[in-house]
Amino acid sequence: MFKVGEALVGDEPNLAHIDLVIGEKDGPAGQAFLNSLSKPSQGHTPLLSVIRPDLPAKPSTLLVPKVTIRDMEDADKAFGPVQEAVSRAVADSVEEGVIPKEQAEELVVIVSVFIHPEADDFQKLSRFNYGATRLAIRRAMEGFPDVDKVLEEKDKGGHPIMGTRTVKLRNPPYLQIAMDKPAIEQQLNLMEQLPESDHLIVEAGTPLIKKYGIKVIEELRKKDEDAFIIADLKTLDTGHLEAEIAADAGADGVVISGLADVNTIEKAAREADKCGIYCILDTLNVENPVDLLEKLEDKPHIVELHRGIDEEYAGKEHSAWGDIPAIKEMTKEKLVAVAGGITQETIGEAIGAGANILVVGRAIANSKDPESKTRDFLESMGKAWSESEKEKFGDIEQFRWRTDF
């Protein structure tokens, strides 16, 4: 047996974060147990877990502090409420049958504990570490989470220190706001006016990047750390290099021109995968997107069917919308964006054709009230909450549900 469990309970500075391993005495867990006792590291000295002096827990349990024990005050926390709580949680897990009683003498438990240097409440330290240890043990013994749970939950929430930012587009349709005007202050002001929504994508347009450089991505990110930001580079050569540059600047996606050589597009797609960002293929002036996609061994994550501004002014209609279902099947993320003169009146047609991402520029950027206009578009897409939902959950269009054990 070799089981691993983890749990986080409580709030700072008295929160408890438990990592633990449960295994046989004569296996790797037992060997690690002995090594830790015989070769303690300075400042992280492990200690046998006891419910009270002369009453160690069963299975034999080792408490390993993750944070350096600096002084007697820190030692009191580890040897007092945390040690007692962990030991009692192990014993209660045996009593309730989570750890089989008949195996208690054959197993060892190694528990890594986090004790915040500013923790100041012994009662909370005890309560939180007890609860976290119980939860971690149950998770370990029941194999939580399984692989399916990890894949289901990985994009729903965020690390408590990192935040809730996610870089996956899992719940279309999305509204992508194209910031094309080469006026940085105006675009930063627009960022501040956008409503909070999980269904917004921000596009740093080609003219904006050409004037200010790729660092404009960093400026936009400062305005909203959680925003999904695309760098519209319309790359024509060195696709791998420009994808890496976009990723290094903090972009979540990079736009490659469909007019680029097939090798350029494929290299960009591979580099985007390596960097953990999206590769978006822009079909501006591409006669047949389906033919192009069929030539690619490494497909883009998203295809953007793009009617340019000059084409729009010349009266050219959107093309290839009828091919959206086929195009979608040839993308890694099954996502198709449409761009070029999208209005509230044409949203229904675009979504009906199968579009997942609606790219809007001037209709929002030139509006006197961008926040209200954005909400109008979201509402037309069916992604604005009712007033009762807003009162209950706050003014966010999609609440991220995280279903922990």
Side-chain angles (χ1 to χ4, degrees):
M1 177 194 292
F2 189 90
K3 303 285 188 178
V4 178
E6 181 268 351
L8 176 69
V9 172
D11 49 25
E12 289 189 358
N14 300 293
L15 63 78
H17 183 242
I18 296 293
D19 299 313
L20 61 79
V21 169
I22 302 174
E24 288 95 348
K25 285 181 179 178
D26 58 358
Q31 189 62 52
F33 189 102
L34 292 175
N35 288 342
S36 296
L37 273 180
S38 60
K39 300 176 182 178
S41 60
Q42 186 175 4
H44 297 269
T45 303
L47 56 145
L48 282 174
S49 196
V50 299
I51 299 171
R52 58 169 171 75
D54 302 321
L55 187 65
K58 287 297 179 74
S60 296
T61 301
L62 195 66
L63 203 68
V64 184
K66 300 177 189 177
V67 179
T68 300
I69 303 295
R70 304 165 301 175
D71 50 34
M72 288 305 299
E73 184 178 346
D74 288 345
D76 284 344
K77 299 170 191 174
F79 282 83
V82 174
Q83 184 187 42
E84 185 271 343
V86 169
S87 304
R88 190 160 45 87
V90 171
D92 285 348
S93 296
V94 174
E95 184 176 42
E96 293 186 5
V98 177
I99 298 175
K101 184 177 180 180
E102 61 274 15
Q103 297 182 28
E105 290 290 353
E106 302 169 5
L107 302 176
V108 293
V109 184
I110 302 173
V111 183
S112 293
V113 296
F114 173 79
I115 306 173
H116 197 293
E118 297 178 9
D120 57 3
D121 189 322
F122 278 29
Q123 290 298 320
K124 286 185 176 180
L125 280 171
S126 176
R127 188 166 66 252
F128 293 159
N129 278 277
Y130 174 82
T133 304
R134 287 288 303 276
L135 183 55
I137 290 172
R138 182 173 292 277
R139 287 173 170 174
M141 298 304 291
E142 296 186 359
F144 177 89
D146 59 21
V147 174
D148 289 338
K149 172 60 71 174
V150 172
L151 297 180
E152 175 190 348
E153 298 288 336
K154 66 185 178 66
D155 299 320
K156 290 185 178 181
H159 193 282
I161 295 177
M162 178 62 187
T164 58
R165 184 169 180 264
T166 179
V167 292
K168 296 295 184 181
L169 303 176
R170 298 299 197 200
N171 189 20
Y174 292 91
L175 177 63
Q176 180 171 318
I177 300 176
M179 297 185 173
D180 289 323
K181 283 191 175 182
I184 185 62
E185 293 302 326
Q186 182 179 354
Q187 303 306 340
L188 293 176
N189 183 56
L190 176 58
M191 281 283 288
E192 291 180 341
Q193 296 182 65
L194 297 178
E196 187 176 359
S197 171
D198 287 343
H199 289 275
L200 285 183
I201 297 171
V202 173
E203 173 196 319
T206 310
L208 184 65
I209 293 177
K210 281 187 174 181
K211 182 171 182 178
Y212 296 100
I214 196 65
K215 285 190 177 296
V216 73
I217 300 293
E218 298 176 8
E219 295 302 313
L220 294 173
R221 178 70 67 203
K222 290 177 184 177
K223 292 295 181 180
D224 186 350
E225 292 183 354
D226 290 338
F228 191 102
I229 301 177
I230 289 174
D232 188 3
L233 300 185
K234 290 191 176 70
T235 296
L236 285 165
D237 197 11
T238 61
H240 64 292
L241 179 59
E242 296 205 5
E244 181 183 4
I245 289 171
D248 288 347
D252 297 301
V254 60
V255 177
I256 309 300
S257 173
L259 299 176
D261 184 79
V262 166
N263 290 319
T264 299
I265 298 171
E266 291 181 336
K267 287 181 179 179
R270 288 195 292 270
E271 187 66 24
D273 270 335
K274 188 174 79 174
C275 296
I277 67 173
Y278 280 36
C279 175
I280 299 101
L281 183 66
D282 188 302
T283 65
L284 185 66
N285 294 327
V286 174
E287 287 295 325
N288 193 323
V290 173
D291 284 350
L292 172 59
L293 287 164
E294 288 176 343
K295 296 175 184 176
L296 299 175
E297 290 187 15
D298 287 286
K299 310 292 187 185
H301 299 87
I302 303 171
V303 168
E304 181 176 320
L305 301 179
H306 190 177
R307 179 182 66 170
I309 293 176
D310 293 338
E311 290 180 311
E312 182 185 344
Y313 285 157
K316 184 175 180 179
E317 296 296 323
H318 285 285
S319 61
W321 279 22
D323 293 329
I324 287 178
I327 292 171
K328 189 181 298 186
E329 289 304 311
M330 287 189 281
T331 67
K332 289 179 181 175
E333 294 290 330
K334 308 294 188 237
L335 295 173
V336 172
V338 292
I342 301 296
T343 66
Q344 284 181 259
E345 289 70 33
T346 59
I347 281 178
E349 180 185 355
I351 292 178
N356 310 109
I357 301 170
L358 309 177
V359 185
V360 178
R362 290 156 291 158
I364 290 176
N366 294 344
S367 171
K368 293 181 179 179
D369 187 353
E371 179 179 2
S372 178
K373 194 67 175 177
T374 301
R375 291 190 186 282
D376 289 343
F377 269 94
L378 290 168
E379 185 174 353
S380 297
M381 293 164 52
K383 290 300 180 182
W385 281 12
S386 67
E387 290 303 317
S388 61
E389 288 173 318
K390 289 177 182 179
E391 286 182 12
K392 184 175 181 180
F393 297 114
D395 197 8
I396 302 175
E397 277 68 19
Q398 178 197 345
F399 189 81
R400 291 187 179 95
W401 294 103
R402 186 178 68 188
T403 54
D404 285 343
F405 174 82

